[in-house]
Amino acid sequence: MPHSERGMIVGLFGGSFNPPHEGHALVAEIAIRRLGLDQLWWMVTPGNPLKSRNHLAPLAERIARSESIAADPHIKVTAFEQAFGVSYTANTLARVKARNPHVHFIWIMGADSLENFHRWQKWQDIARTFPIAVIDRPGSTLSYLSSKMAKTFAFARIDEDDARILWKKPAPAWTFIHGPRSTLSSTAIRDGALHKAAEQV
């Protein structure tokens, strides 16, 4: 895990980043600014258990590409989940919390992930481990309200104007942050690359 100091506010931004793109960098930038983060750990996962690995690029490649677009010095690109042999977010966060008891963590996710968040293993445990910041994504601004997570933890939502004190809130606590949105998506980039490769065959 990246080095952190006692009392730091650290964002945890995980994903397969297959491939990483400027949309991810925008989410990271918004999170750092709106949440007042000292660091953001850009966690490149071995793979998403809910997604096919048929077109999953090698981990080293995804790390290198993440480092190339994560220019902000607050961002620490890491793939420690591979070293620990964990692939489920709930297990990752439990380990992070145990090893860094004096750091204030916030789990960061794009609004497009909310639709299926209730399918994640121990998703309610995730919500009760660290505060969560949900960053707006195209097409997800309104649909997030109907997600099972938003309904289940409606009582724990705080106004985005209070985002900078989210770290002070005991979990469960979450906020939805509006802001600039990028239309880029890893799926669209992969599909475009596969289509182009097929045309060249």
Side-chain angles (χ1 to χ4, degrees):
M1 295 182 193
H3 174 73
S4 58
E5 300 288 346
R6 174 188 289 266
M8 275 188 169
I9 306 168
V10 177
L12 302 174
F13 183 35
S16 52
F17 300 108
N18 185 43
H21 52 71
E22 291 302 326
H24 293 130
L26 180 60
V27 168
E29 176 191 331
I30 292 171
I32 290 169
R33 178 167 46 86
R34 297 288 298 275
L35 298 169
L37 302 180
D38 296 305
Q39 290 184 1
L40 180 140
W41 294 2
W42 182 301
M43 305 188 309
V44 186
T45 66
N48 186 331
L50 296 178
K51 295 181 180 179
S52 168
R53 299 197 179 198
N54 290 342
H55 302 294
L56 185 64
L59 182 61
E61 178 182 323
R62 290 181 283 128
I63 292 172
R65 294 183 70 171
S66 293
E67 290 175 336
S68 71
I69 67 171
D72 192 307
H74 293 89
I75 298 175
K76 312 297 179 184
V77 176
T78 178
F80 65 81
E81 286 176 294
Q82 173 79 356
F84 289 142
V86 295
S87 58
Y88 291 103
T89 299
N91 297 338
T92 297
L93 299 191
R95 186 163 295 201
V96 167
K97 186 173 185 177
R99 292 174 71 103
N100 303 274
H102 304 298
V103 175
H104 307 290
F105 289 102
I106 299 173
W107 175 250
I108 296 162
M109 60 192 298
D112 49 332
S113 296
L114 274 186
E115 182 180 358
N116 294 314
F117 186 62
H118 63 280
R119 296 178 56 206
W120 294 22
Q121 187 186 68
K122 299 181 180 178
W123 67 278
Q124 295 197 35
D125 288 350
I126 295 173
R128 293 187 175 100
T129 302
F130 296 133
I132 298 174
V134 182
I135 311 297
D136 202 2
R137 291 280 291 147
S140 303
T141 305
L142 297 177
S143 61
Y144 82 91
L145 289 170
S146 61
S147 70
K148 190 169 183 179
M149 183 275 190
K151 290 181 177 179
T152 302
F153 291 100
F155 69 93
R157 183 183 176 191
I158 71 168
D159 191 278
E160 68 176 295
D161 289 343
D162 295 323
R164 289 186 75 89
I165 61 170
L166 180 63
W167 65 272
K168 295 183 179 181
K169 304 293 185 180
W174 67 284
T175 192
F176 187 96
I177 297 178
H178 297 82
R181 295 171 295 171
S182 169
T183 57
L184 291 172
S185 87
S186 296
T187 301
I189 293 172
R190 283 197 311 274
D191 289 348
L194 290 170
H195 181 70
K196 186 175 181 179
E199 288 181 334
Q200 295 175 344
V201 173

